[in-house]
Structure formats: C-alpha cells, structure tokens
Amino acid sequence: MAPLLSVVIPMYNEQDAIAPLTARLRPALDAITADYEVVAVDDGSADDTAQLVDGLRADWPQLRLIRLRRNAGHQAALTAGLTRARGRYVVSIDADLQDPPEKIGEMLALARRDHLDVVYGVRADRATDTVFKRRTAAAYYRLMRRLVGSWVPRDAGDFRLLSRTAVDALLALPDHQPVYRLLVPALGFPSGTVSYVRAERVAGTTKYPLGRMVRLALDSVTNFSAAPLRLATWLGLISFCCCLVMIGFGVVGYVAGWTVPGWTSLFVAVLFLGGLQLTCLGLLGEYVARIYSTVQARPTYHIGTDTAAARVEETTSA
Ligand code: UDP
Ligand code: MG
C-alpha cells in the first residue's frame, strides 16, 4: 500500500506561502503520478499554517498534515516527516517555493532510471539570495568540505530525493541532532544531482535568522569532526615551540645581563606549563572524541546486496 512518492514539507509560520505552494506543487505532482502523498509537517506554527493545510485536505486526498506540538526546528521537523512518510521514494522540499516543485519529476525519473538512492537538488544559481546569505552559505560549505570531507556536495541543501532504503538507513542512525545535508552524503549511497535555480522566497520571511544558522553550523561541526577538540593540541604544540625559542632568548638575555632577576625563570615556566597544559587538554580531547564517536554508534557499513540472503535486497527499493 506504500505510495510511490512522499513529499515532506516542513512548515513553520508559512501561512502566506501555502496557496502559491499548492498552486505549483499539486499540478507538478499530478503530472508524475496519482500514487503520491504530501506530508506537511507543521513545526508548531503560531499562525494559521496548520488550519490552512487542514482546510485543503478536503479536496486534495493525497495531502497529509502532521502537527508537532511545539517548534522543534527544521531538521527535527524533517525527521518527523521522514519517519512518517510511507513512500518508496521520499522528497524533502521547503515550503517557501525556493526549491521548484517542477524538478521533483526529474529527480524521480533520474533515480528510477539509474537506480539511485539519493538525488541532490544542487543550487546552480543563488543570485536571488542576499549577499549575506550567499557568503555565509559559501563559508559553510567550504568549512564542511574541509573539516568533514570533500565528499560533501557543494550547495546541496535539504531539497533532495531519497529511496526507501536510504530513508530507512538514515532513520536507523542513532544521531540525536541530525544534520541531513551531511548525514545523507555520509551514507555514501549511489547518488545523482539535479541542478536548479534558487528562487526568491514566495512569501513571509526567512525562518533561519543568524542564530539558527550558527546553530546549524555548530551542529554540523560537532556531529562530524573532532577538529575543535584537537585545537588545544595544536595550540599547546605551538606554545611549546615558542617556549623553546624564548628559552634561548631568555638564556642569552640572562648571560648578557639584559633582564631583571627572576624574569627568565618565570617567563620560561609560564610558557612551558601553558604549553604542557594545552597539550594535555588536547590529549584528553582525543579520548573524548573517541568516546563521542563510540556513543554516536554510527554503522561503519551498509549492506548493498547479499546473494545468500533469503530475500535479495536491491540497492534501491524500486
Ligand atoms: N522551518 C521549520 N521549522 C523551523 C524553521 C524553518 O519547519 O524552525 C521550515 C520553513 O518553514 C521552510 C524550511 O524549513 O519550509 C526552510 O526554512 P527557510 O526557508 O526559512 O530557510 P532559508 O531558505 O531562509 O534558509
Ligand atoms: Mg527558504
């Protein structure tokens, strides 16, 4: 009874976007198949978002509404939607029409043709974003590719298609604060891309103010990288090297008689101990990092196929 396609849309105070969204999403989906469901996740909106969606359900049988009891944030709302979606393919899309619903058909066709588990929507053109948004986004993807790995696709946000296999693998991950734009590529499942032009928000204002952007970046870094924990090691080693130079300098000064009595020994002791402490902190950090990754308990592999299995699983669930 699983529909072919689920479309998950997190919505937070999007009352003005609902009518234009429906006007474009519905024909786009109807053109693909009738066998779909739209999973609107109302993320504890304070406006009429939920009421408006609920009102649409009467003459749009494929529309489902899931209401969260309080605002949980974009990624958590996505998790709720992915968990509840029943489709053999699941597309996530923003409610503000910045991602074109017309591309969903292309994503689905590509996934089915090439047996892909993931199709990323990649923003080919962000001209409509503000300069600030473009700069911060570019910095974010640069940082992630450096810290996490160069397999993180550039400019792939949360507009993507996942196969049932990929959704189940994602949901089986024990991550508490998932950042899907990193977790999905981390799965390493067969993937493709569909590029699109990022449009302007159709109504309302962004629900990602600076604070939330910083939060997402912090979650991304701490979920995938122990680099901040290693910072102490590097600082310690640097101050250690400085200390060696300064010891030479202090001894020369002492012999040449430039220094006040006691300065050399104090100076060297301070630098030496500081370096030692930072290095030890860094060492602790290494162990904390290992404990953390153990607690995260992410699987180290995902089975593709096993010829000996009673039911041979396909790479995709198509
Ligand atoms: N969103 C949500 N919960 C939140 C914040 C945002 O469900 O707490 C939804 C929002 O309604 C939209 C999507 O997440 O559908 C992306 O948010 P937005 O368009 O404001 O982000 P931007 O495109 O500005 O980065
Ligand atoms: Mg948006």
Side-chain angles (χ1 to χ4, degrees), residues 232-233 235-236 239-240 269-284:
T233 318
L235 286 177
S239 55
F240 221 81
V270 167
L271 274 176
F272 182 76
L273 278 178
L276 206 66
Q277 277 170 339
L278 281 170
T279 314
C280 291
L281 256 184
L283 265 179
L284 273 182

Side-chain angles (χ1 to χ4, degrees), residues 8-25:
V8 173
I9 319 176
M11 299 178 174
Y12 178 52
N13 293 343
E14 300 284 8
Q15 59 178 12
D16 298 328
I18 301 222
L21 174 69
T22 313
R24 274 180 63 191
L25 182 66

Side-chain angles (χ1 to χ4, degrees), residues 94 96 98 198 201:
D94 286 357
D96 56 6
Q98 287 197 279
R198 184 91 165 147
R201 194 172 231 292

Side-chain angles (χ1 to χ4, degrees), residues 117-171:
D117 282 302
V118 183
V119 178
Y120 300 103
V122 173
R123 297 153 192 178
D125 178 2
R126 306 184 72 123
T128 54
D129 277 343
T130 59
V131 175
F132 176 71
K133 184 89 191 179
R134 260 181 291 166
R135 289 265 159 82
T136 48
Y140 173 85
Y141 288 106
R142 212 176 314 122
L143 182 70
M144 289 312 133
R145 285 169 64 88
R146 241 200 113 150
L147 286 184
V148 179
S150 53
W151 41 261
V152 176
R154 262 189 215 98
D155 280 323
D158 284 309
F159 181 35
R160 72 174 87 74
L161 173 139
L162 299 167
S163 69
R164 174 51 44 198
T165 318
V167 173
D168 290 343
L170 272 181
L171 293 176

